[in-house]
Amino acid sequence: MTTPFTSPPMQVEQEWTDYNGHLNMAYYHLLFDRAVDAALVPLGLGPEVAAETGASVFTAQAQVHYLRELQTGDSVVVETRLIEHDSKRLHYVQTMRRVGEDEPAAISENLVLHVDLNTRRVAPFAPEVLARIADAVAAHADLPLPKQVGHRVGLRRD
């Protein structure tokens, strides 16, 4: 079990930039979404498993913190750390960085639900998947959490 799960490098495409000259917010989500497979596949939750078993995960909640601008040609990696789980849900955080840099460009905190694709209802993880998730959560327990985890959206009151 890798700690944390790390995506292969991904490159920011020209057509993903907006009129402000930087990566549009929608494409941060695209990069985070592509990167989560680096964690889901070894857990037994990847796209092939969804096709074979009719079970997958749906995002119930996501919060992204945009910390540094990214531009065309930037190469990024995403680390995924599992935080906690129960029989039907998985809470994780992803940290996006430019390749070779320590400072995060963005942080994405997510809660996903395990879903039976036939009924489109939340269902328990298969026992072997739940065991892998538990192992990964334990392996990731000592990794530092980004300070953004658990923060709510809102204005500070002065």
Side-chain angles (χ1 to χ4, degrees):
M1 199 66 61
T2 61
T3 54
F5 296 107
T6 304
S7 75
M10 299 174 283
Q11 192 160 4
V12 174
E13 305 293 330
Q14 170 66 43
E15 58 271 15
W16 297 353
T17 59
D18 59 23
Y19 57 86
N20 294 314
H22 59 211
L23 183 62
N24 179 275
M25 64 179 276
Y27 293 98
Y28 282 87
H29 288 272
L30 175 71
L31 291 166
F32 280 125
D33 188 55
R34 287 181 177 175
V36 79
D37 284 341
L40 293 179
V41 168
L43 294 174
L45 293 168
E48 293 82 18
V49 172
E52 291 171 14
T53 67
S56 190
V57 292
F58 287 10
T59 301
Q61 185 175 359
Q63 182 174 347
V64 177
H65 296 262
Y66 306 96
L67 306 173
R68 302 221 172 353
E69 290 182 296
L70 294 173
Q71 276 98 23
T72 298
D74 284 343
S75 186
V76 299
V77 293
V78 176
E79 294 177 343
T80 302
R81 180 195 173 206
L82 307 188
I83 299 172
E84 59 184 340
H85 75 287
D86 63 19
S87 65
K88 300 176 184 178
R89 299 176 296 176
L90 177 60
H91 179 202
Y92 64 91
V93 64
Q94 295 178 288
T95 304
M96 181 184 299
R97 293 182 173 86
R98 281 187 191 91
V99 170
E101 293 186 8
D102 291 331
E103 291 299 315
I107 305 287
S108 180
E109 183 179 3
N110 300 270
L111 178 67
V112 294
L113 308 174
H114 188 251
V115 174
D116 178 325
L117 296 174
N118 296 311
T119 64
R120 311 303 274 191
R121 299 186 94 45
V122 177
F125 292 107
E128 64 277 7
V129 172
L130 190 59
R132 285 186 209 110
I133 291 170
D135 288 346
V137 168
H140 295 184
D142 292 332
L143 296 173
L145 283 173
K147 66 182 180 183
Q148 292 81 4
V149 170
H151 286 208
R152 66 180 187 87
V153 175
L155 300 176
R156 285 189 183 182
R157 304 283 180 211
D158 291 332

